[in-house]
């Protein structure tokens, strides 16, 4: 072999070796380290993020569908413990017990605190067994309101049966705007007039209803305009019954911006204007 022939053979050998190296990653028999594929991630997360959809005997089913080499990931191994029905039940019981503790007038739906006797600055005022109500049927009052239990129960019944259903689509309603509650004063603050039911803890004034998204439906703006008009008339009418006296914007100029609700009864029945 001459010098030229020797170079051809050496060059061919070098070229072949270089090409073989370039193709190595695709053709190598050694598997590459790949990032975890979606299938692996799915297997690992299904039992943890959808615990409530598990069949009655999770382990048996899980083993059947899981590849043999996959680690056994079940509720027992989950790092985020889920709520089992029993724990959930205990939590509800605990919440109920807490609510019962902070309820007044023997009704779990009426939240607040008992304040006992409230003395008025004059003899005609005051409440014998007063309560300070913070919420009724889950709807909070814009401020703690003092009244007697008869009035607290009437308020709760009205909110439960009329206010919540009326604003169900628009709301839900989350707060009652309280314009007045207990106050030792005369009717409509007029000199020489009789003591108001507010002075006896039997009245509450509501000027608006706040929805969950923050929207406020006020008696002043909504009484003569839709869409609030229809709903306000409905809640005003619904108060007649639980309360003995209901006064709204149609009654007089003193009530153009609120509903006056009180539990004083008239011999001829309820008085609603
Ligand atoms: Zn009033």
């Amino acid at each position: 072999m001459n010098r030229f022939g020797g170079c051809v053979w050496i060059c061919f050998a070098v070229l072949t070796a270089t090409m073989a190296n370039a193709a190595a990653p695709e053709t190598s028999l050694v598997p590459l380290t790949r990032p975890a594929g979606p299938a692996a991630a799915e297997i690992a997360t299904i039992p943890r993020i959808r615990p409530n959809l598990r069949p009655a005997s999770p382990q048996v089913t899980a083993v059947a569908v899981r590849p043999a080499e996959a680690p056994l990931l079940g509720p027992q191994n989950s790092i985020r413990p889920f709520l089992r029905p029993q724990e959930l039940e205990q939590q509800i019981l605990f919440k109920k017990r807490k609510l019962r503790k902070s309820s007044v007038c023997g009704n779990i739906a009426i939240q607040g605190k008992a304040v006992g006797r409230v003395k008025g600055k004059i003899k005609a005022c005051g409440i014998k067994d007063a309560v300070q109500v913070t919420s009724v049927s889950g709807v909070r009052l814009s401020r703690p309101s003092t009244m007697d239990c008869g009035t607290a129960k009437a308020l709760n019944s009205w909110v439960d049966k009329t206010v919540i259903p009326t604003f169900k689509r628009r709301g839900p309603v989350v707060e009652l705007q309280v314009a007045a509650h207990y106050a030792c004063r005369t009717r409509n603050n007029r000199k020489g007039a009789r003591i108001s039911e507010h002075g006896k803890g039997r009245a509450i004034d509501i000027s608006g209803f706040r929805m969950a998204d923050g929207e406020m439906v006020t008696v002043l703006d909504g009484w003569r305009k839709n869409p609030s008009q229809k709903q306000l008339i409905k809640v005003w009418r619904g108060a007649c019954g639980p309360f003995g006296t209901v006064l709204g914007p149609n009654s007089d100029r003193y009530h153009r911006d609120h509903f006056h609700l009180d539990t004083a009864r008239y011999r001829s029945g309820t008085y609603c204007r």
Side-chain angles (χ1 to χ4, degrees):
M1 201 181 290
N2 59 24
R3 274 172 68 190
F4 177 75
C7 179
V8 167
W9 280 111
I10 292 164
C11 292
F12 179 73
V14 168
L15 195 69
T16 311
T18 311
M19 282 169 70
N21 274 344
E26 282 80 25
T27 55
S28 169
L29 291 174
V30 180
L32 293 174
T33 315
R34 285 167 212 197
E42 246 171 344
I43 290 166
T45 51
I46 283 167
R48 270 180 283 179
I49 59 168
R50 305 183 63 193
N52 51 352
L53 294 180
R54 279 179 310 110
S57 38
Q59 253 183 333
V60 174
T61 317
V63 170
V65 296
R66 192 177 291 124
E69 67 274 16
L72 185 71
L73 286 172
Q76 293 82 359
N77 300 345
S78 172
I79 48 164
R80 264 171 55 190
F82 62 90
L83 289 175
R84 289 152 215 247
Q86 207 185 348
E87 290 166 21
L88 201 69
E89 228 168 73
Q90 273 179 341
Q91 274 202 2
I92 293 167
L93 267 174
F94 179 74
K95 214 175 164 187
K96 260 191 175 173
R97 216 172 290 147
K98 222 174 133 187
L99 280 173
R100 194 164 288 131
K101 239 179 153 181
S102 52
S103 69
V104 289
C105 306
N107 189 333
I108 198 167
I110 308 172
Q111 293 290 306
K113 63 172 184 183
V115 289
R117 191 180 191 92
V118 171
K119 269 182 125 184
K121 56 187 179 201
I122 58 167
K123 211 183 162 193
C125 289
I127 314 167
K128 204 176 147 203
D129 280 308
V131 287
Q132 207 176 53
V133 180
T134 52
S135 80
V136 287
S137 288
V139 178
R140 65 176 182 264
L141 273 57
S142 62
R143 49 177 155 149
S145 305
T146 306
M147 61 195 83
D148 64 12
C149 270
T151 309
K153 283 175 182 171
L155 185 68
N156 178 54
S157 168
W158 173 59
V159 167
D160 180 40
K161 291 190 173 68
T162 305
V163 178
I164 292 173
T166 300
F167 292 111
K168 197 176 175 185
R169 273 196 169 169
R170 189 174 183 172
V173 60
V174 293
E175 188 183 89
L176 301 180
Q177 198 66 31
V178 177
H181 51 113
Y182 172 77
C184 186
R185 61 169 170 83
T186 56
R187 284 186 182 180
N188 302 320
N189 286 309
R190 278 178 301 170
K191 223 177 164 188
R194 282 174 62 185
I195 290 293
S196 162
E197 292 301 321
H198 284 279
K200 297 165 188 171
R202 296 202 287 245
I204 186 161
D205 291 351
I206 304 295
S207 60
F209 304 86
R210 191 178 293 282
M211 305 297 123
D213 64 359
E215 186 198 13
M216 179 72 98
V217 178
T218 64
V219 176
L220 183 65
D221 294 332
W223 186 253
R224 298 190 198 284
K225 287 192 288 219
N226 267 321
S228 304
Q229 187 182 39
K230 219 173 158 186
Q231 292 162 338
L232 287 173
I233 289 175
K234 213 171 161 186
V235 293
W236 164 76
R237 196 170 286 142
C240 196
F243 292 97
T245 308
V246 178
L247 303 172
N250 287 356
S251 65
D252 56 42
R253 64 190 170 95
Y254 298 105
H255 298 91
R256 66 193 182 93
D257 62 354
H258 70 270
F259 297 144
H260 165 93
L261 316 166
D262 77 49
T263 46
R265 297 269 168 183
Y266 289 84
R267 232 179 284 165
S268 53
T270 53
Y271 181 88
C272 307
R273 289 288 137 84

